[in-house]
Amino acid sequence: MKVADGVWRPLFSTLVLVFCLSFFPGGSSDLVSDKLTLVNLQRDLGGRALRWNLSLDSPCSWLGVTCRSGGVTELRLPGAGISGELPLGIGNLTKLEKLSLRFNALSGSVPSDIAKLALSELHLEGNFFSGPLPEFLFDMKSLVRINLGENHFSGEISPRFSNLTKLVVLYLENNRFTGSIPELDLPTLEQFNVSFNQLNGSIPEKLSGLPANSFEGNSLCGKPLKPCNGAEIVDKKKKKLSGGAVAGIVIGCVVLLLFILAILLFFFRIKSRGEKGSKEMTAKSTEHGIHNAKSRIDNDNSSADYSSSSAAAAKANAKKSGGNRSLVFFGNAVRVFDLEDLLRASAEVLGKGTFGTAYKASLEMGAAVAVKRLKEATVPEKEFREKMEEVGRLNHENLVLLRAYYFSRDEKLLVYDYMPMGSLSALLHGNSGAGRTPLNWETRSGIALGAAYGIEYLHSQGPFSSHGNIKSSNILLTRSYEARVSDFGLAHLASSNSTPHRIDGYRAPEVTDPHKVSLKADVYSFGVLLLELLTGKPPTHSQLNEEGVDLPKWVQSVVREEWTAEVFDLELLRYQNVEEEMVELLQLALECTMQYPDKRPSMAEVTKRIEELCRSSSHREDNVMNESYFGTEEGI
């Protein structure tokens, strides 16, 4: 019997466990399935922006993932830098209640299998989704909050929204919707916005009690906007135009058309002449359009002001030195342009930095690249080329990658990916007028994390792989506000007198030679950058700072007086639910800007702590939204 007991007892225990699990629907099997679905999602979206630790058995600790009842119930990936078309598969997260993919760069249509989910919240705003709204949306009767704003959705707004009887929030602004607003019967609706579409007609009576800014940017009339009567009178007057007025309009259009044709013919002839002499002119200057743009902001610098005679001299020098008049490319990318294409490109000045002037070069084939023209790069050719090879090998999603370079005795050009949203400095300080878009906590913390990832990667390349020039104008942004670190690897190429005082506000106190910046000095500069994000103030000697505030000292003095709230940018104080995370980031910034280098954390530690507070703020935001929209229903 003892042997029999030894055989049957484990088997009996297993049967009991299986029997018990059968009373709990889903259980761990749901998490296994959900993890597989999320892994496939990461793979289909490129896997670069979703930094999930796939070695963990459960996805519940991944950033943006919340679990309850043995399955994934919330997926929140706002501002994560993901792009492309959203694949099928999310519908396999059978317990998902809340989906937020806002402020990314997703495009195409919304996948149809989302219809299988009992979602209460759907946030897709700030992407590039297009086409008409999917019909399955109007059958998802558990939806309470929908935000589809700032996309490219088109077509008419369907009256079937009235099917969603639980709807409290409906945002459709900044799309391409046409037609009129239908009569919507939504008894629980509290927030509604269709501003800046292509809508016309009158506003339905049931929506007339909403604020006027819910409808602005359209051709709408009626309460709360202007009455429709005035618009009808104007329309009648337009219909009653006299025959003479119609004839005058026709004659005017014909004259205008002939004038436009004459202008086009004139420019066509000029272009034809220019093409005949293009071969003679390609060596006339190492910049062409780039130089012309630069001369408008740098005409006081005679060493950078090329006349036709000095261009000819540059050409002669290149021949004497055996200079190679071609771009040196990195990676395996297809060479879709060459040096002559770059020199013929139209140029737009992006900014004048520590090491030279940057331009946007619009190539004839339609693509755009950023070109930096180095000023006073005094190192020998061999050392320059070796440094460029070193920089060109660096490859990380949070760096502005060096695609190609050109070297001659008189000109040194670097070609980078073009970042359409500009720099963090411009975003923070460039527009303080009424039209400024507030920079929220979610975006700022995401930028801080992306920049930290990029700098940590640089530091991982060796003990002498510091950036050397970290500042907000060197943090560039993608369309989804993901940070890209630029200007790395250039600090020791410039002469000692070419590093202006305007970066002193970011420079660690121990740095005396701008060409020799340690990793911990980089941490100090990054700490100043964090303070700039939190306070909205540029540091001392910044081109934008007229107050002369030494940012670390000012923040330390305010915190010592226990007035911490006075430190934060007023735009951030509106987000009261993330005050704890804001204070944590402020404390980290102060640790980074400690006077003694050995008291500063490493970039690896800095990145880890920013990751943790981003995760914490995401969870806190979710809890606040739960209380706001489900508090009464759940008895909270």
Side-chain angles (χ1 to χ4, degrees), residues 324-597:
N324 180 14
R325 288 187 55 80
S326 63
L327 289 170
V328 179
F329 284 87
F330 296 102
N332 298 320
V334 178
R335 274 58 167 167
V336 294
F337 63 93
D338 56 20
L339 180 64
E340 302 306 326
D341 294 324
L342 192 64
L343 301 183
R344 284 197 298 268
S346 61
E348 173 188 343
V349 177
L350 297 175
K352 186 176 181 181
T354 304
F355 306 116
T357 302
Y359 307 86
K360 174 188 176 183
S362 300
L363 303 170
E364 290 181 349
M365 71 280 296
V369 294
V371 180
K372 182 177 286 291
R373 184 190 187 199
L374 293 184
K375 181 179 66 174
E376 299 180 21
T378 57
V379 296
E381 178 178 355
K382 181 181 178 182
E383 184 179 347
F384 181 92
R385 293 188 184 277
E386 288 175 349
K387 186 62 180 177
M388 290 301 99
E389 290 293 329
E390 179 184 325
V391 173
R393 284 194 296 268
L394 298 174
N395 186 3
H396 190 272
E397 58 264 27
N398 292 109
L399 298 181
V400 181
L401 301 182
L402 178 63
R403 296 303 186 187
Y405 75 90
Y406 168 79
F407 178 92
S408 72
R409 180 185 302 175
D410 302 292
E411 285 297 341
K412 296 157 190 70
L413 305 176
L414 308 182
V415 182
Y416 295 90
D417 290 336
Y418 172 63
M419 294 289 109
M421 297 301 291
S423 71
L424 173 60
S425 176
L427 191 65
L428 278 173
H429 315 298
N431 178 13
S432 57
R436 172 177 169 80
T437 301
L439 195 57
N440 61 27
W441 164 254
E442 192 174 79
T443 304
R444 296 193 202 209
S445 58
I447 290 172
L449 182 57
Y453 281 136
I455 298 167
E456 182 192 4
Y457 169 80
L458 292 176
H459 286 194
S460 71
Q461 302 305 299
F464 305 104
S465 55
S466 63
H467 184 290
N469 190 27
I470 296 170
K471 54 183 179 178
S472 60
S473 58
N474 281 340
I475 307 299
L476 306 185
L477 305 169
T478 67
R479 291 191 186 278
S480 53
Y481 295 101
E482 191 175 16
R484 299 283 191 272
V485 180
S486 70
D487 262 20
F488 50 91
L490 304 184
H492 82 283
L493 293 178
S495 63
S496 58
N497 61 359
S498 65
T499 305
H501 71 280
R502 64 175 173 272
I503 68 167
D504 286 354
Y506 297 92
R507 186 183 294 172
E510 73 272 14
V511 175
T512 55
D513 183 351
H515 306 105
K516 297 177 181 179
V517 177
S518 68
L519 302 185
K520 286 299 182 76
D522 266 359
V523 172
Y524 182 95
S525 300
F526 184 73
V528 177
L529 180 72
L530 292 180
L531 293 177
E532 189 175 0
L533 270 168
L534 290 167
T535 65
K537 295 179 179 291
T540 306
H541 300 310
S542 165
Q543 289 175 308
L544 296 161
N545 190 351
E546 298 177 356
E547 301 173 357
V549 175
D550 186 319
L551 204 49
K553 289 184 179 179
W554 176 74
V555 171
Q556 289 165 8
S557 66
V558 174
V559 171
R560 273 197 303 269
E561 297 295 332
E562 299 183 354
W563 296 339
T564 303
E566 300 294 323
V567 164
F568 297 113
D569 190 347
L570 291 176
E571 290 181 355
L572 281 177
L573 293 178
R574 300 183 305 160
Y575 306 97
Q576 297 181 1
N577 57 312
V578 291
E579 281 182 347
E580 184 176 332
E581 287 74 31
M582 287 162 54
V583 172
E584 287 180 18
L585 190 60
L586 180 68
Q587 179 59 41
L588 176 60
L590 291 175
E591 292 177 29
C592 291
T593 54
M594 297 287 283
Q595 182 176 4
Y596 299 105

Side-chain angles (χ1 to χ4, degrees), residues 22 53 61 87 99 137 165 211 315 335 353 367 394 398 438 491 516 625:
S22 67
N53 186 353
S61 60
L99 176 62
L137 185 68
T165 54
K315 178 183 176 183
R335 274 58 167 167
L394 298 174
N398 292 109
K516 297 177 181 179
M625 294 181 71

